[in-house]
Amino acid sequence: MQEAPPLLLIHGFPLDAGMWAPQVAGLSGLTEVIAEDLRGFGTDTRELPAIMPMRSHAADIKELMDARGIGKVVMCGLSMGGYIAMAFAERWPDRLAGIILCNTRSNADDEDGVAARHEMAHNAREKGMDVIARGMVPNLLGPATHSEHPEVAGLVTRIIARQRPETVAATALGMAQRPDRLAVLQRLKVPALIITGEHDTLMPLPTSQAMADAMPGARLVVLPGAGHLSNLEVPELFNRTVQLFMEEHFKGS
Ligand code: MLT
């Protein structure tokens, strides 16, 4: 069994690494946990092109790993973070010791999905991130989170509202261009964990099932009570699920 590699967390859209606070706090005892803002998000000030593809976000992560002298990681991406993890796996599979894909999907956007990305890019620039946040938050969290943990909705609203419209627009247009990456998962030969939320209406269960089916040996875990942001909605369950996966596959975690 190999030593536990760092756990590299990739945030969703249009969020930043602040969404991983419960994992940084809860999993750092297991191994090194890396949770950085993607280009242009949160406090990151790097410039973005007008369209920022998932493979470019993945290239930034490869650069970060090289700069820190990190050979392999267990890469954990939620939603858009999963798209980026799959783009990374396509190009640098040998830099992965394991993969955790949360509340995400391997398929590309359909025509309506692409149109919605263009609308998002337009609205981010024209209406601002407060309006985007108010429109998105109802669908990002499950009903139990909305009723029992309104502070989570407040936190997610604040995270979305602090993003820069041009970053959100460029990354929305980048997501619209991403190809289907099911074949990437079929080729990937590392331990894999698929996590989703019982009430995730944005990425319903069949999308997670398809990814699990593509990777023999992958475990699919459906977290009860969670919606799309399962790591924030049921953080203890989420962390326990990741911990069990790490302990099963890596020494010292
Ligand atoms: C996310 O949470 O990252 C987004 O829902 C991904 C997407 O818009 O496809």
Side-chain angles (χ1 to χ4, degrees):
M1 211 188 249
Q2 59 177 301
E3 291 290 335
L7 177 65
L8 191 148
L9 307 172
I10 313 177
H11 63 78
F13 172 90
L15 299 158
D16 62 36
M19 68 166 264
W20 292 118
Q23 284 64 52
V24 174
L27 295 172
S28 291
L30 277 183
T31 187
E32 180 188 358
V33 177
I34 301 169
E36 299 284 342
D37 294 327
L38 293 166
R39 181 180 290 254
F41 287 90
T43 57
D44 187 274
T45 54
R46 287 171 291 179
E47 291 298 316
L48 285 88
I51 300 177
M52 182 71 183
M54 299 298 97
R55 64 172 185 281
S56 301
H57 280 301
D60 282 344
I61 292 170
K62 151 85 164 45
E63 214 170 274
L64 177 148
M65 288 171 61
D66 289 347
R68 295 192 187 178
I70 297 169
K72 291 190 186 217
V73 293
V74 172
M75 193 167 277
C76 171
L78 187 137
S79 198
M80 178 185 75
Y83 307 160
I84 295 170
M86 287 180 255
F88 185 100
E90 183 169 45
R91 197 122 176 246
W92 298 287
D94 54 328
R95 303 294 293 274
L96 294 178
I99 192 162
I100 306 176
L101 297 169
C102 319
N103 303 82
T104 191
R105 58 185 165 163
S106 56
N107 53 304
D109 286 354
D110 60 16
E111 215 175 288
D112 290 347
V114 170
R117 301 289 187 202
H118 285 265
E119 198 182 337
M120 161 71 77
H122 175 82
N123 287 342
R125 288 196 206 94
E126 298 301 317
K127 300 184 178 168
M129 290 311 296
D130 282 330
V131 173
I132 299 282
R134 281 199 297 276
M136 286 187 80
V137 169
N139 297 323
L140 290 175
L141 306 170
T145 308
H146 279 296
S147 60
E148 289 158 35
H149 293 286
E151 74 283 2
V152 175
L155 172 69
V156 175
T157 305
R158 286 195 300 281
I159 295 179
I160 295 176
R162 71 190 179 205
Q163 306 310 319
R164 301 203 322 252
E166 59 274 24
T167 298
V168 170
T171 301
L173 298 177
M175 282 194 283
Q177 292 187 345
R178 75 188 194 287
D180 185 297
R181 289 197 163 98
L182 193 67
V184 173
L185 299 184
Q186 286 163 340
R187 288 194 297 270
L188 198 61
K189 300 282 178 271
V190 293
L193 171 63
I194 312 288
I195 298 177
T196 193
E198 180 193 12
H199 299 296
D200 188 343
T201 52
L202 299 180
M203 307 281 171
L205 186 58
T207 65
S208 292
Q209 190 65 60
M211 293 189 296
D213 291 347
M215 293 184 284
R219 176 160 312 148
L220 169 60
V221 177
V222 182
L223 298 179
H228 185 58
L229 298 181
S230 59
N231 73 301
L232 279 172
E233 295 181 71
V234 289
E236 288 86 10
L237 265 182
F238 184 98
N239 287 0
R240 183 81 190 122
T241 304
V242 172
Q243 182 180 351
L244 287 174
F245 172 77
M246 295 294 287
E247 285 171 355
E248 186 180 345
H249 295 286
F250 306 102
K251 206 164 48 183
S253 55

